[in-house]
Amino acid sequence: MISRAATDAALDLLLAPRCAGCGAPSSWLCLACRDLCEPVRHGRVTAAGTYGGALREAIHRFKYEGERALANELGTLVASCVASDLATGVALDVVVPAVLHPDRARSRGYDQARLLAAVVAARTAIPLRIPLRRIRAASPQVTLDRAARAENLRGAYVAEAGTLRGARVALVDDVATTAAAAGALRAVGARAVRSYVIALDA
């Protein structure tokens, strides 16, 4: 018979955080892998880094392998980008996640954009709002380039009328915050929309 101590030790080994980038123990994304991330900008989109290496592996495990605990590390990287803009005088009133379609969120077990946005809001002390609703499911984005992702999500979002009148929005997503989501927010009165993501394609 296997002892309780042996069972607990095995569970600790299985559940202990290991870096998604390099496999080092003790954290879901180690300091060395986080330090490799260099923020990048593309228009009004800011990313914590480019989509490759440790960051790509961390995103994949966060989205597709159920490692929702990565939300804290990845959300903190995104929050650093938001905080950097705030320090330069950029005004932001609300944090809004680019939510998943309800069917996709149910099948995955969580909505990664909501988890990221909650961390960003907590780290920056900007209120979290969820006025967006995904009304059309789309093909998986992982194999698409930037232009194809934008087309794939055209018309996929609506936002609650009157919820963001005059607000300056930090729109949060994992890889591809879309023009469709930003457009839906502007349609209900958002004054400005800046997008913040974990990674952008190089």
Side-chain angles (χ1 to χ4, degrees):
M1 177 181 291
I2 299 174
S3 71
R4 175 64 181 271
T7 301
D8 288 347
L11 286 173
D12 286 346
L13 182 62
L14 288 171
L15 299 176
R18 299 189 72 84
C19 176
C22 67
S26 79
S27 69
W28 293 105
L29 190 65
C30 73
L31 185 59
C33 286
R34 277 179 278 170
D35 285 346
L36 293 174
C37 298
E38 290 287 339
V40 292
R41 293 181 185 271
H42 179 79
R44 294 181 70 82
V45 181
T46 302
T50 55
Y51 188 66
L55 203 52
R56 180 184 183 279
E57 181 63 23
I59 292 168
H60 191 276
R61 286 169 59 172
F62 177 45
K63 291 180 67 174
Y64 305 116
E65 296 182 21
E67 293 190 9
R68 60 190 297 166
L70 276 161
N72 186 60
E73 278 81 359
L74 296 174
T76 297
L77 288 175
V78 177
S80 294
C81 296
V82 176
S84 180
D85 277 357
L86 293 172
T88 64
V90 171
L92 295 167
D93 302 308
V94 294
V95 173
V96 173
V99 296
L100 286 178
H101 188 275
D103 291 343
R104 182 70 57 81
R106 277 192 293 271
S107 66
R108 185 166 293 168
Y110 55 91
D111 183 328
Q112 74 273 0
R114 285 184 184 234
L115 296 180
L116 290 171
V119 174
V120 172
R123 293 279 187 271
T124 60
I126 301 173
L128 175 67
R129 299 275 293 280
I130 307 180
L132 276 176
R133 187 160 53 91
R134 185 80 167 264
I135 59 171
R136 181 174 63 79
S139 302
Q141 299 277 83
V142 66
T143 61
L144 305 178
D145 62 23
R146 188 178 295 142
R149 286 197 297 265
E151 183 60 33
N152 189 38
L153 289 171
R154 189 182 302 278
Y157 292 95
V158 295
E160 296 173 24
T163 54
L164 294 172
R165 190 165 306 282
R168 294 157 295 195
V169 179
L171 178 63
V172 173
D173 203 355
D174 50 80
V175 176
T177 296
T178 66
L185 295 174
R186 285 191 289 267
V188 295
R191 186 192 313 181
V193 180
R194 290 177 176 267
S195 297
Y196 297 92
V197 299
I198 303 168
L200 280 174
D201 294 333

